[in-house]
Amino acid sequence: MNFVFRKSILKYIYSNWKPFRNKFDALTGMRAIAAIMVFVYHNRKYWRNDLPFEVMRFISEWHIGVTVFFVLSGFLLAYRYEEKPLESKKSYLKYILLRIARIFPLYWILLSAYFLDTPYSKNVDTYFLQYSLFYSLFEKYSVSGIVQAWSLTVEFFFYLLAPLLFLLLKKSWKYCVLFLIGFFLLGWGIGYGLHEYNGKSKGFLYPLEFMIGSTFFGRSLEFFFGMLLAYLMKRERGIQFLKTLKRSTLTGGISMMILTIAIAFFARNNFVHGVERWEGRVIHEFLLPVAIVIFFWGLMSEKTWISKILSTRFFVLLGNASFVFYLIHLSYFNMKLKSYLYLPDNNFVLLWICSIIIYLLIEKPLYEGCRKLIAKI
């Protein structure tokens, strides 16, 4: 009965919404937009004296591009895998190895180049922490090495827990939320306990503001809302509910903008973020992901000029290369590139060209090779 139900739902989806047959192309294109937002956010300092305070305050919250990535990861992993990796130790092992192959090889290559280039890395000696990505669990080391790779640590924690989280979500969303609350309290307890024990924890999951903003313990709800969208799309009642959302692309997009402005409202000046206030953080973690989910649903279910643009080959290519762009737009690669060539656009176009080349010649072949090896296990 369950098989028949699932088959009918999938048939309903594929027959009614053509975008689903295109492997979520618009969502892939959206990855490029998220990466561009993060680039603008990290380069906002160059326009601090040229743009009005209100505009700068808005741009200073474009770190939400990372939130878009997290919500999208939650959706895609839950939609593709559900709880299937838990069927056996072997299936979970293959699942984890595929996730490792997705993020680590390119990161290790860039990190190795950074360490070999001693003028840039001479003051960094936390090799194990950097290569394992554990460095971003320590506030002291969180801005060392390839700084933006902190989000990869958050992603990998989600990868480890995703099958279990979806299993809990299938039983009841309350179980999933309670688990995440418990996980948050566990991280808080560990960080606070180690700090109080000897005060030399080097900021491991401490202070609370760091743990909330930079670790999976504090960012897990962003993945949860993405998983919730996948859960609804897998069920008849869920699809019926989603169909009641009219003009989702417009509603979700405008909501994202309004909520970003609302977060920015709590920033005192151009050098701080609205999420540093509890009001801004609440909006960021509880309301913004909902708006993103609605926008994602619109991209998949509606034929709009936005979905058409994001589904073009150009944006899909940029979306596929966005992981590379994210890893090279800041820190070592970009600093090295600037030492040879620094264009007026802060190397924006040049960085995208480099990202596409690295994606086609290194990242994609590496992942395909790893996937073939893992399939033989």
Side-chain angles (χ1 to χ4, degrees), residues 28-29 31-33 35-36 69 102 106 313-329 351-361 363-364:
T28 301
R31 290 172 59 88
I33 301 299
I36 291 170
F69 280 124
R102 178 67 185 89
L106 181 64
R313 290 184 178 181
F314 175 70
F315 266 95
V316 169
L317 176 60
L318 293 184
N320 286 328
S322 62
F323 178 61
V324 182
F325 183 84
Y326 180 77
L327 283 182
I328 72 172
H329 84 280
L351 282 167
W352 271 116
I353 293 173
C354 292
S355 300
I356 292 171
I357 293 173
I358 294 172
Y359 165 71
L360 293 174
L361 298 184
E363 185 200 359
K364 185 178 180 181

Side-chain angles (χ1 to χ4, degrees), residues 13 16 26 44 48 69 71 76 78 94 110 120 148 192 198 227 262 312 327 335 344 348 364 372:
I13 290 174
N16 282 273
R44 69 195 187 285
R48 186 170 282 133
F69 280 124
V71 175
L76 291 176
K94 294 177 71 172
L110 293 172
Y120 289 88
Q148 65 272 33
Y192 183 78
N198 60 14
M227 296 181 72
T312 59
L327 283 182
M335 290 189 295
F348 176 74
K364 185 178 180 181
K372 290 178 180 178

Side-chain angles (χ1 to χ4, degrees), residues 35-50:
I36 291 170
M37 292 179 71
V38 175
F39 175 88
V40 173
Y41 163 72
H42 281 141
N43 286 275
R44 69 195 187 285
K45 60 184 178 182
Y46 298 112
W47 310 308
R48 186 170 282 133
N49 298 323
D50 300 321

Side-chain angles (χ1 to χ4, degrees), residues 1-16 79 82 84 233-236 239:
M1 186 68 179
N2 187 46
F3 173 76
V4 174
F5 171 74
R6 286 175 177 270
K7 187 176 181 180
S8 63
I9 290 297
L10 289 175
K11 183 178 180 181
Y12 179 74
I13 290 174
Y14 282 109
S15 63
N16 282 273
Y79 192 87
E82 300 187 42
K84 294 174 185 175
M233 287 175 58
K234 291 279 188 174
R235 276 140 190 85
E236 186 175 11
I239 286 289

Side-chain angles (χ1 to χ4, degrees), residues 20 24 27 30 64 67-76 78 169 220-233 238 241-243 245-257 259 284-302:
F20 288 175
F24 311 112
L27 295 184
M30 188 61 197
I64 68 164
T67 303
V68 173
F69 280 124
F70 287 167
V71 175
L72 183 57
S73 290
F75 167 72
L76 291 176
L169 183 59
S220 60
L221 281 180
E222 297 164 42
F223 297 94
F224 166 77
F225 283 108
M227 296 181 72
L228 187 59
L229 175 60
Y231 173 82
L232 292 174
M233 287 175 58
F241 167 74
L242 290 171
K243 285 183 65 178
L245 302 177
K246 305 300 182 182
R247 307 186 73 179
S248 299
T249 308
L250 180 63
T251 303
I254 291 178
S255 297
M256 288 168 62
M257 184 174 296
L259 291 172
H284 182 272
E285 295 301 324
F286 291 91
L287 300 180
L288 182 62
V290 176
I292 294 172
V293 162
I294 294 173
F295 182 68
F296 283 176
W297 170 246
L299 290 181
M300 291 184 286
S301 63
E302 299 172 342

